[in-house]
Amino acid sequence: MTVASKKRLVVKGGTVVNPGSVAAADVLIVDGVVTEVGPGLDGDEVLDAAGCHVSSGFVDLHTHLREPGREEAETIETGSRAAAIGGYTAVVAMPNTDPAQDSVMVVEFVREQGRRAGLVDVHPAGCITVGRAGAALAPYAALAGAGVRLFTDDGNGVQDPLLMRRALEYARDLGVTLAQHCEVARLTEGAVMHEGSCCSNMGVPGWPSVAEELMLHRDIELVRLTGAPMHFLHLSTAGSVELVRRAKADGLPVTAEVAPHHLALDHDLLAGWDPVFKVNPPLRTREDIAALKAGIADGTIDAVATDHAPHAAHTKELPLDQAPPGMLGLETALGVLVTAVNPDPRRLCELMSWNPARIAGISDTHGRPVAPGEPANIAVWNAAEVWTVSRDALASRSTNTPYHGMELRGRNIHTIHNGRTVVKNGKALA
Ligand code: DOR
C-alpha cells in the first residue's frame, strides 16, 4: 500500500527573520507546519522570495470588519482578503459591529465567518460594556469561555472610572486583557480634527490632545491600583508616548499601539476639507509624529496596528463635519511603516507580528519563529519594492484610503495561512 505523499511548499531564496537571527534560508512547509529551514530546499510548490524577508505573518490588533451590520462597507471575507494581501495571517476584529460583539452568539458568528473565508484567522474582540454603551459590564466569563482574549469598546472610551476599575479587576481575575480607546468624550463633542493651528484657521471644532492623555493617565493609575494588564489603542500624541514611557519605567503591565497613519500624515492635510483624512483620534502635528517615532525607536510603543476602518463612499462623501472618521489600513500598513519609519527587519516583525500576537493572546499560533515544528503562518515581504497605491486596486469593499496616488516603499508579496498559499505575487488566490 502506498501512502499519498504530502505536498511540499517551499519559500525559496529569501532572508528569514527570527528573534535570534536574520539569515538567508529556504523554508519547507508540509501539512501546515514548517518542517525545515535551510539551504537548497525544493518542493512541489515554490514561492520565489528573492530579495524578500520571510517572517511570521503579521497580526493586526485593530481591524474593523463591519460584519455584522455594515456589510456595505466591508465583510469578513473582503476584510480578510485585504488583510492577507497586507501580509496578515491573523486579525483582531473590533466589536463596534451591529449588533456589537458583546455576546457569545455574535463572537461565534464572526469567528465562523472568518473560518469560512479561510484567508486569515479572525479573532473577535469582546466589548467591555454591553452594547459599548458604557453602563454595564459585558459577560466576560462567558466570552472568555468562548475564547475571547481581548476586550474593548473601541470607537468609544469607557468614560466611568468606577466601571473601568471593576472591568480591570474582572479581567485580571479571568486572565484576559482590556484595550482602551482613550478619549474623554466631553472634551471631543462635535470635534472634526486635531485642536491646533489648522482647525483654528478652518474654524471647526477641535479634538484636543488632552482628551486622549487624560483617559490614558486615569487608566494607567487604575492599572497601578488593580495590577491588571492593559493595552492602549491608536495612541496619537507626544504626551501619550511620555505617559506610557513612564508607566513602563514604573514596571506597570501596559502595552501600546500606534496606527500607521499617525506616523505618516499630519493635521494640515485636513486644510483641503477632504473627509478621507478624518479619523479618530485625529491626525496630529509633526511634533506628535516625531514623538511617536521616538516611542517606536525606544520600545515604548509595542505594536503598529491598522485601525482599518472601511466606510461606504456615500458616507465618506458627506461634508467634513458629518462624514464618519476612519481610513483603510490593512493593505498599506507595511508600506507606510517602512516609508515613514524604516525599522530594521527584526523591529518591524516585533511591531507587526511578535508583540501583537502576544498582546492578542494568540502567540501559540501566530508571531512564532520560522522554525521546524512551528505552524506555517508566514509573510514574505519586500522592504525595497516601490509601488503606487490606487484605491481602485484594493481588495477592501471600501475605497477610503488616504494614500491614493502615493508612492510607498515596502510591500507584502506572498502570504501563507495555516500552510496554504493565500496570496501569491501580491494577488489573493481565493
Ligand atoms: O477613526 C476611527 N474609526 N476611529 C475609531 O475609533 C473607530 C473607527 C470606526 O469604526 O470607523
Side-chain angles (χ1 to χ4, degrees):
M1 196 176 82
T2 52
V3 178
S5 63
K6 289 185 170 157
K7 188 173 132 189
R8 293 160 58 92
L9 167 61
V10 169
V11 182
K12 206 163 175 58
T15 300
V16 174
V17 187
N18 275 324
S21 70
V22 178
D26 301 335
V27 178
L28 174 62
I29 295 158
V30 181
D31 211 14
V33 177
V34 175
T35 55
E36 231 180 304
V37 178
L41 301 176
D42 268 305
D44 312 302
E45 180 189 348
V46 176
L47 293 176
D48 180 9
C52 294
H53 289 99
V54 181
S55 71
S56 56
F58 303 142
V59 174
D60 191 25
L61 283 166
H62 200 141
T63 304
H64 296 276
L65 291 174
R66 302 299 190 218
E67 186 180 353
R70 273 199 279 158
E71 292 82 356
E72 77 280 12
E74 194 79 287
T75 65
I76 291 170
E77 185 187 334
T78 59
S80 293
R81 192 169 295 118
I85 287 173
Y88 293 90
T89 52
V91 300
V92 177
M94 289 290 110
N96 57 341
T97 48
D98 185 13
Q101 290 166 196
D102 61 2
S103 70
V104 171
M105 197 178 73
V106 177
V107 302
E108 286 192 338
F109 167 81
V110 170
R111 198 179 287 127
E112 181 53 29
Q113 292 297 93
R115 250 187 241 120
R116 271 191 209 174
L119 292 156
V120 296
D121 287 357
V122 174
H123 293 277
C127 297
I128 294 178
T129 68
V130 174
R132 300 171 47 254
L137 293 184
Y140 302 172
L143 290 163
V148 175
R149 291 287 164 269
L150 205 68
F151 290 74
T152 176
D153 275 0
D154 182 58
N156 296 337
V158 177
Q159 305 297 315
D160 179 342
L162 176 62
L163 194 73
M164 200 58 206
R165 175 186 179 171
R166 296 290 176 244
L168 283 163
E169 289 165 344
Y170 197 7
R172 176 198 62 205
D173 295 348
L174 282 167
V176 297
T177 301
L178 299 188
Q180 181 69 292
H181 167 121
C182 293
E183 176 180 358
V184 174
R186 281 287 278 160
L187 288 170
T188 63
E189 276 168 21
V192 169
M193 59 184 288
H194 173 65
E195 184 176 295
S197 54
C198 190
C199 108
S200 305
N201 293 338
M202 292 166 73
V204 298
W207 202 126
S209 299
V210 73
E212 175 172 304
E213 293 154 6
L214 268 183
M215 188 171 283
L216 175 60
H217 179 69
R218 180 200 77 180
D219 284 0
I220 286 170
E221 293 312 310
L222 290 175
V223 166
R224 200 187 306 275
L225 180 71
T226 60
M230 191 148 179
H231 178 66
F232 295 109
L233 301 165
H234 50 43
L235 294 183
S236 64
T237 78
S240 293
V241 176
E242 189 50 30
L243 284 164
V244 174
R245 187 177 285 124
R246 279 196 242 136
K248 286 190 167 185
D250 289 350
L252 297 178
V254 296
T255 53
E257 67 180 41
V258 298
H261 45 264
H262 288 127
L263 296 166
L265 308 174
D266 73 57
H267 66 145
D268 287 335
L269 287 164
L270 273 301
W273 297 88
D274 187 344
V276 83
F277 297 113
K278 182 177 177 183
V279 65
N280 193 21
L283 302 179
R284 303 284 189 189
T285 66
R286 285 176 201 178
E287 292 71 35
D288 292 308
I289 291 174
L292 296 178
K293 288 183 180 176
I296 283 185
D298 73 5
T300 300
I301 301 300
D302 300 278
V304 169
T306 66
D307 198 0
H308 178 83
H311 288 289
H314 69 275
T315 63
K316 266 302 204 186
E317 282 161 7
L318 290 166
L320 190 59
D321 59 334
Q322 292 161 43
M327 38 182 69
L328 302 182
L330 287 167
E331 296 171 74
T332 48
L334 173 72
V336 174
L337 178 62
V338 172
T339 305
V341 180
N342 199 20
D344 69 55
R346 247 184 297 212
R347 183 73 184 127
L348 187 146
C349 290
E350 273 175 6
L351 293 163
M352 296 280 283
S353 176
W354 306 337
N355 291 345
R358 211 173 40 245
I359 294 164
I362 57 170
S363 54
D364 52 338
T365 46
H366 291 273
R368 308 287 311 168
V370 179
E374 297 290 352
N377 289 311
I378 286 173
V380 181
W381 40 279
N382 187 334
E385 183 170 326
V386 175
W387 58 294
T388 303
V389 180
S390 165
R391 63 181 164 231
D392 307 315
L394 299 174
S396 171
R397 186 169 268 191
S398 293
T399 54
N400 56 308
T401 174
Y403 310 108
H404 178 64
M406 212 179 271
E407 213 170 67
L408 296 179
R409 192 157 50 83
R411 186 173 203 176
N412 182 66
I413 309 298
H414 315 298
T415 309
I416 299 166
H417 173 241
N418 284 337
R420 198 167 66 90
T421 308
V422 291
V423 171
K424 186 170 179 177
N425 296 322
K427 300 257 180 308
L429 297 185

